Amino acid sequence: MPWEIKKFNDGNEIPGIGFGTWKIPVGDTTVDQVDQAISVGFSHIDTAQAYRNEFEAGKAIKESGLARSDIFITTKYSGLGGLDIETSIKDSLKNLGVHYIDLYLIHSPRLAVPDIPTVWAEMEGLKNAGLVKSIGISNFSVKDTQVLLASAKIPPAVNQIMLQPYNYAAQKSLLELSAEKGIVIEAYSPLLPVTTYPGGPVDKPVKAAANRLGVTDDQVLLAWAKAKGAVVLTSSSKKSRLEGYINAGDLVLTDDEIAAIEEAGAKGPRGLTPYVLVKRASLVLLGGIAGFGLCSYMGVSLF
C-alpha cells in the first residue's frame, strides 16, 4: 500500500491519507465526491458536525458497498446548536448510518466548556461505552494539550492541525510534544502553498523536487507532510488529482529536499512569517464560524 497505516496509542489504526469534506457543497455534490474518493482508493473519510454533511457522507459510504470495517470514519464534536457531546455523538451516528465512529474529535479547545478536563472525561465515556473506537482533539495548542494530558485517563489518539511548510516552524513544538506523548498528527491544509499562496518561497524547492520525481507540486507537498510523520487530509473534486494524491504515498523526498522546503517555508508566503500566518489563519477560521452561525465554535478545518 502506498500510504502506510498509522497505529494509535490505544492500539487502533488509521489510514495514512484521508478525504476531507469541508467546503464541499451539501447535498448530492457531497455524495458524489465522497463516492469518487472511495472509488479511487480513499478508505478514510473525514467529516464534522459543523460541516453539516454527515448524512451525505454516510450515504456515499453505504452506497460504496464496503463493509463497515473497510472504511475509517472521522467526525467531530463542533458544538453545533449548543448540543452536548452525548447528544451530538448520537446525532452523528444516526446521520452517518453507523453503529460506531472510528475517530471522534473535539473540534477546538474553545468547545471545552466548562473546561478541558471535564469535556475530555465525557469523550473518554464515549470510548468506554463503545460508541467510538478512538478519541482525539483538533486545533489544540501545546498548552491545551498539556492541560488535557494532566488529567486524562485515556490520552488523545490524534491532534488534527493545520500543517504545511509555511506554518511548520510555528507548529514544530506541538509536533515534538505529540511525538513524545504518542499522539498522531493529522495534517489539514497541506496544499496551502499552491492553493492559497502560490509564488512564495516554497515554490522553488517544491518544483525542484517535483521535476526530479516527475510529479506535480501538490504531490510533493503531500509527500513532505508524510515525511513529517503526519496523516494527510486533503480533498479535490477532480478524479485525476485524487488518483495523484493516492500515488503520492509512494514518493520519497531526500533529506536535502525536505530541509530546503522547510527553510523556504520559514520565510513565510510573500514575506509573512509563520507566526503571522497562524494569526491570520485564526481570523479566517473565525470568518468560517460566522458563516456557520456558530458563535461558540472554533476550529473549522481548512482542507
Side-chain angles (χ1 to χ4, degrees), residues 7-301:
K7 180 162 281 191
F8 287 155
N9 51 29
D10 63 5
N12 294 319
E13 297 178 335
I14 185 172
I17 188 170
F19 181 76
T21 62
W22 189 59
K23 279 193 171 181
I24 300 177
V26 177
D28 289 343
T29 302
T30 298
V31 178
D32 293 343
Q33 290 194 24
V34 172
D35 176 72
Q36 179 172 255
I38 292 173
S39 75
V40 303
F42 281 83
S43 60
H44 172 191
I45 305 300
D46 183 282
T47 182
Q49 188 185 37
Y51 305 167
R52 303 177 187 267
N53 61 13
E54 289 176 322
F55 177 81
E56 289 80 7
K59 182 179 179 182
I61 290 168
K62 182 178 180 180
E63 292 177 352
S64 73
L66 291 174
R68 176 66 188 87
S69 59
D70 291 333
I71 195 82
F72 188 100
I73 301 174
T74 297
T75 193
K76 311 175 189 75
Y77 169 67
S78 308
L80 190 66
L83 298 177
D84 59 25
I85 285 179
E86 184 177 356
T87 303
S88 295
I89 187 62
K90 290 178 180 177
D91 285 349
S92 290
L93 289 167
K94 181 179 179 180
N95 289 336
L96 287 159
V98 295
H99 297 296
Y100 68 89
I101 302 297
D102 293 283
L103 178 62
Y104 195 53
L105 308 179
I106 302 174
H107 213 153
S108 164
R110 294 190 177 223
L111 297 169
V113 179
D115 53 50
I116 290 174
T118 299
V119 172
W120 187 249
E122 294 175 16
M123 294 286 285
E124 292 175 332
L126 299 183
K127 179 174 170 63
N128 291 333
L131 298 176
V132 301
K133 285 196 169 184
S134 298
I135 51 177
I137 52 182
S138 181
N139 300 302
F140 272 54
S141 67
V142 168
K143 181 179 179 180
D144 297 325
T145 305
Q146 289 172 331
V147 169
L148 186 154
L149 290 171
S151 65
K153 295 179 181 178
I154 302 173
V158 158
N159 191 1
Q160 186 180 118
I161 61 171
M162 180 192 286
L163 180 64
Q164 38 81 19
Y166 286 130
N167 80 334
Y168 173 68
Q171 298 285 41
K172 192 173 181 180
S173 61
L174 182 58
L175 267 63
E176 291 171 349
L177 173 65
S178 299
E180 177 187 342
K181 301 299 182 180
I183 301 170
V184 170
I185 288 294
E186 285 189 285
Y188 68 74
S189 295
L191 303 182
L192 224 62
V194 295
T195 60
T196 305
Y197 299 109
V202 164
D203 282 18
K204 183 176 180 180
V206 166
K207 288 182 182 298
N211 289 336
R212 179 183 71 83
L213 293 165
V215 298
T216 60
D217 293 0
D218 50 2
Q219 287 176 297
V220 169
L221 287 167
L222 295 184
W224 175 85
K226 179 184 177 183
K228 306 319 295 180
V231 170
V232 172
L233 296 173
T234 190
S235 184
S236 177
S237 62
K238 296 183 178 180
K239 185 176 182 179
S240 60
R241 285 186 179 175
L242 293 177
E243 291 170 338
Y245 298 163
I246 292 293
N247 293 335
D250 289 324
L251 302 180
V252 178
L253 302 178
T254 67
D255 290 343
D256 287 343
E257 288 169 337
I258 293 170
I261 290 171
E262 290 165 12
E263 182 178 350
K267 299 175 182 177
R270 306 190 196 103
L272 295 177
T273 69
Y275 299 93
V276 171
L277 179 61
V278 168
K279 184 175 181 179
R280 290 195 175 185
S282 297
L283 295 176
V284 172
L285 294 176
L286 288 171
I289 294 163
F292 280 125
L294 304 175
C295 295
S296 65
Y297 174 62
M298 175 62 182
V300 177
S301 297

